[in-house]
Amino acid sequence: MNRGGATAGGPYLLTGATGFLGSHVMAGLLKKGEGVVVVGRRAGGESLAERIRRLLEWFGIEHLQERLELHEADFREPRLGLRPDEYELLRRRALPIIHCASDTRFAEKNREAVMAANVGSLAGILDLARGGPARCFHFISSAYAAGSDGAECREIPVHSRNFNNVYEESKALAESAVLAFCRQHGVAHTIIRPAIVYGDARTGRSLKFNALYHPVRSLLQLRDIYLADLGKNRGKKSAACGVRLLKDGRLHLPLRICIPNEGKINLVPVDYFTAATLAILDGPENGAIYHVASRRPAAMAQLTAFSARFLGLSGIEVIHGAAPAAETRNPPEELFDYFIRPYRPYISDRRVFLRENTDRATGAMDPPDFDYDVFRRCMEYAVAADWGRKLFSIPGGQGEKEGKRDKGVER
Ligand SMILES: NC(=O)c1ccc[n+]([C@@H]2O[C@H](COP(=O)([O-])OP(=O)(O)OC[C@H]3O[C@@H](n4cnc5c(N)ncnc54)[C@H](OP(=O)(O)O)[C@@H]3O)[C@@H](O)[C@H]2O)c1
């Protein structure tokens, strides 16, 4: 399909292939028979080739490596740190580009690095897109680039100047820069804006354990602190805040999670993100913005109930409205609040992401319902992967059958 000057089909030039979403896009394209030209960096003493090889193993697609071409780059350098002839050759090949690399940290203390990675390094990547007729520049942005102004977010350029953190702000600035460049140079383009992406809904597998995983892991840490206290210290700390073991084996942990309103958490699994993105790449509409988001976002109360069931906890409540006075909060509440602070804007969100363009591109494909079975699979995988620390040492690749892994933590 070819709409409004945007051409489908690869090979594709991809950035961010060593990350969570980029690696899934890479694997999805390779499985479809497309070629992928990866521009990425070495890290932790490992070359780009070694990092990609490990990811191919994780996906169980080592046999597809001949469809890959790798270019080790440094996005902070002019021409992405590539040799002048290498950069020029890439530019002349007129490949469609998927720019997925991004510094995804939220904290203000990282402002300089986030802005440099997400906005400053754009020039070198965009310049690769100047010229040839086959090019389309696909920018992976974020639904949250919409900012914090309005409740109804349409698939249109960002107008907000109010953002929850530097990451959102940088994605909005990057979108504007991409749009301005592509319009000026006549480059066909799309912007793909995912909501919060978690693991594969069918297998539970994931490469990243932030966002959805963070509150669950925080509750698990709290549970383990108090279980240790009940074991070794005869429950001195526990007694002070009403924590006790119940006869059915669950831990009673009185903890109020205070959120300002009933809002929602917009979650999509990575298998859905990948399928939707591949559908968009198949029929890109020049200039279109796509919200890859859920029509039926989850509520914090549901996520809390799933977490309590998975972790064998009771006593956790979600309260809407003003936070209780500091002096009435117990230590687990203080700690939990501290753990989840960066994610607060996303757990009681009133924003609704309209998705007309995405529906048209994907045949109105919906993400699966976020039910307890999906949640359990994802959390079992997270525990088996030790929240990312043992990611590449879990036995079995993508082909590993469900149920063969160690049992999760459900008590
Ligand atoms: N995950 C989500 O829930 C979500 C939701 C909405 C939008 N998004 C967007 O989706 C894209 C991918 O996100 P992700 O979750 O996959 O992030 P990720 O796992 O953190 O991966 C980020 C990728 O960007 C690369 N990168 C970061 N800083 C870089 C720099 N300074 N120079 C070169 N490469 C750099 C990383 O390379 P290294 O591996 O070398 O660090 C990695 O390949 C981003 O554009 C993000 O804004 C993600």
Side-chain angles (χ1 to χ4, degrees), residues 386-403:
D386 197 7
W387 311 91
R389 281 194 289 262
K390 293 187 187 154
L391 194 54
F392 294 104
S393 54
I394 303 175
Q398 179 82 337
E400 184 192 20
K401 297 285 174 290
E402 258 180 67

Side-chain angles (χ1 to χ4, degrees), residues 16 18-21 41 51 100-102 141 167 171 195 197 208:
T18 50
F20 178 33
L21 303 195
R41 58 184 178 178
R51 300 181 73 199
C100 195
S102 180
S141 182
Y167 165 73
K171 297 303 279 189
V197 186
K208 197 170 174 185

Side-chain angles (χ1 to χ4, degrees), residues 243-256:
V243 178
R244 61 182 196 282
L245 267 177
L246 301 177
K247 282 193 183 128
D248 60 11
R250 288 180 305 152
L251 184 76
H252 183 72
L253 178 71
L255 190 155
R256 293 162 299 172

Side-chain angles (χ1 to χ4, degrees), residues 166 212 348:
V166 63
L212 164 67
S348 62

